[in-house]
Amino acid sequence: IESLRAVTVRHTQFYSVFGQLAEQAQFAPPGHLIFVIGPTGAGKTTLAKAFASQLEDHFRAIGINRGQIPVIYRDLKLEQSKEFIWRRFYLGALRALGEPLLDKKVDLAAELAKLKNAGLSVGPYALKDQDIGDLRECLESQLARRGTHYAITDETNLLAMTKDSKKEKKAQMEVLKSLAASVPATRFVFFATSDALPLLHLSPQLSRRVIVIRFEPYGSTKEELTEFGSALLTYLQSVPGGFSFELSKHIRPIQQTAAGLYGATAEWIQRAAARALLAKRQLSWEDMANTAPDKQTQASLKRDVLQFRAFFSQEAPTVEEPEDKPNAPDKTARSRLRRPGVRKPKRDQRLTPRAA
């Protein structure tokens, strides 16, 4: 099963997003943030690891200087708990860059809490913000010193889990934007679900500096079902012991059950393959049926896909341009009262007594 998990099928959607990502990572203007957005189970983590691995192979082939770290890859899910904390975000990046003595760095926010608990006055200084600022400057210095070309972060949707206010979230996203601008040699690539999308539009300047690449699930059209089936067939051929059912008869039910998400379907096949291996037989459709996602999981996957598509289907409001009418009269109050030579009986009746 571990060997099956290690199999990466570069299917149609994978190739499409990978190509867009490679292009933007190479040609996007400096200081921009690149976000790959897709529903849960689309295969973003597999893509992120494959992209990081290919970049590492590239730099290894051309040769790198001693101490240089051209690519860093991080999974925020491994660094964060249920609540997102920015200090952990910066410490995780510094750890990936080999920053020494991270455990010896003083947590100013924790020290501030100790002083408050002891009933001591801490003054008007915002030690928490100072702490984050120091870590950010340290990260900026390390990225430049290590010659890092690509900083890849997975599960970035956890940014939305912070308890900070909207104003604080906006400030931190602006910090990320300014970090990308201050280290123009580093490309910042983030992988996230649609939960992160509202964060990208907290300010007009942030929206202009963000490049979004969509990782679409497979739909129910004939062409998409054919592509989806081709990807699954390639993956099933890697199952230890093989499989015994006719895939073409079950493509549509599989697509409907997993909402067209290749990553979620691959995990489903892994569960079914483990069941078949325990029984020492080929993978059958019975194994697939018995290990299918439960109704709650199916509903969650479909809801995530609908949310993803709904966000991108929103059209910008159109502004109707006023019709150009030649020689149209000015309708302002001042012009109605003071324009000479235009007969208006009601106005004339009101103004005549005053004139008299």
Side-chain angles (χ1 to χ4, degrees):
I1 297 303
E2 289 301 323
S3 63
L4 184 60
R5 290 194 181 103
V7 173
T8 299
V9 176
R10 304 202 169 197
H11 50 94
T12 303
Q13 296 289 18
F14 183 99
Y15 263 120
S16 174
V17 178
F18 195 98
Q20 295 177 62
L21 178 56
E23 180 181 354
Q24 293 294 348
Q26 186 174 3
F27 299 111
H32 281 61
L33 305 173
I34 302 173
F35 275 79
V36 178
I37 304 292
T40 302
K44 299 183 299 298
T45 296
T46 301
L47 175 64
K49 291 180 178 179
F51 185 64
S53 177
Q54 183 162 322
L55 288 173
E56 289 171 351
D57 292 342
H58 166 73
F59 285 107
R60 195 178 297 114
I62 64 177
I64 57 176
N65 298 326
R66 184 178 180 181
Q68 186 179 6
I69 305 178
V71 182
I72 60 171
Y73 168 81
R74 304 160 54 208
D75 187 342
L76 290 189
K77 189 179 288 186
L78 303 178
E79 299 176 4
Q80 302 286 339
S81 58
K82 293 183 179 180
E83 178 190 356
F84 180 86
I85 299 175
W86 280 101
R87 176 180 171 81
R88 292 177 187 166
F89 175 85
Y90 288 110
L91 288 176
L94 290 170
R95 189 172 290 109
L97 290 167
E99 172 71 9
L101 303 175
L102 277 179
D103 296 335
K104 303 298 182 181
K105 292 187 182 298
V106 177
D107 187 345
L108 295 179
E111 295 301 320
L112 175 62
K114 289 180 183 178
L115 292 174
K116 285 185 176 181
N117 292 335
L120 300 176
S121 176
V122 295
Y125 302 105
L127 295 183
K128 179 179 178 182
D129 294 339
Q130 180 183 344
D131 184 27
I132 297 295
D134 291 343
L135 289 175
R136 183 241 172 175
E137 290 180 5
C138 185
L139 175 58
E140 181 180 329
S141 174
Q142 278 291 84
L143 287 170
R145 188 172 73 86
R146 291 292 192 178
T148 303
H149 293 272
Y150 296 93
I152 302 171
T153 308
D154 195 12
E155 299 291 348
T156 317
N157 44 285
L158 293 180
L159 291 172
M161 294 176 58
T162 177
K163 293 183 179 180
D164 294 339
S165 64
K166 184 177 180 181
K167 183 178 180 180
E168 291 172 325
K169 289 179 180 178
K170 177 183 175 181
Q172 290 296 347
M173 293 301 295
E174 291 289 346
V175 167
L176 283 184
K177 177 177 70 69
S178 63
L179 177 63
S182 61
V183 193
T186 303
R187 299 291 192 191
F188 292 85
V189 183
F190 301 94
F191 291 78
T193 65
S194 52
D195 293 334
L197 284 170
L199 298 176
L200 310 184
H201 301 283
L202 291 175
S203 72
Q205 287 189 351
L206 182 61
S207 297
R208 289 192 298 107
R209 293 296 182 93
V210 169
I211 298 172
V212 176
I213 300 173
R214 298 161 56 178
F215 200 145
E216 295 275 0
Y218 286 94
S220 56
T221 65
K222 184 177 180 180
E223 181 181 359
E224 289 180 290
L225 287 174
T226 301
E227 294 172 348
F228 187 53
S230 177
L232 295 185
L233 179 60
T234 303
Y235 193 70
L236 284 168
Q237 289 171 346
S238 303
V239 172
F243 62 101
S244 60
F245 60 93
E246 190 175 346
L247 179 61
S248 58
K249 294 182 178 180
H250 303 285
I251 289 297
R252 189 173 292 277
I254 292 175
Q255 187 273 339
Q256 292 174 346
T257 301
L261 298 165
Y262 174 81
T265 308
E267 293 176 357
W268 177 10
I269 293 174
Q270 292 166 15
R271 294 193 301 270
R275 186 176 188 273
L277 286 174
L278 288 174
K280 297 182 179 180
R281 53 179 167 75
Q282 286 186 322
L283 174 62
S284 66
W285 180 249
E286 181 183 356
D287 296 318
M288 293 289 292
N290 288 329
T291 56
D294 56 35
K295 291 185 178 180
Q296 185 176 1
T297 303
Q298 292 182 40
S300 177
L301 293 175
K302 292 175 182 177
R303 183 168 56 250
D304 199 17
V305 170
L306 289 175
Q307 179 183 354
F308 167 80
R309 287 177 172 160
F311 188 93
F312 286 108
S313 65
Q314 294 176 359
E315 298 181 356
T318 57
V319 179
E320 295 184 1
E321 296 292 338
E323 296 182 2
D324 294 332
K325 296 182 179 179
N327 303 323
D330 189 354
K331 294 185 178 181
T332 61
R334 185 181 298 272
S335 65
R336 284 198 304 269
L337 291 174
R338 298 186 178 182
R339 173 179 289 181
V342 178
R343 179 171 177 77
K344 291 180 180 284
K346 291 184 179 180
R347 181 200 63 186
D348 295 342
Q349 290 176 6
R350 189 176 72 250
L351 295 179
T352 299
R354 293 183 184 179

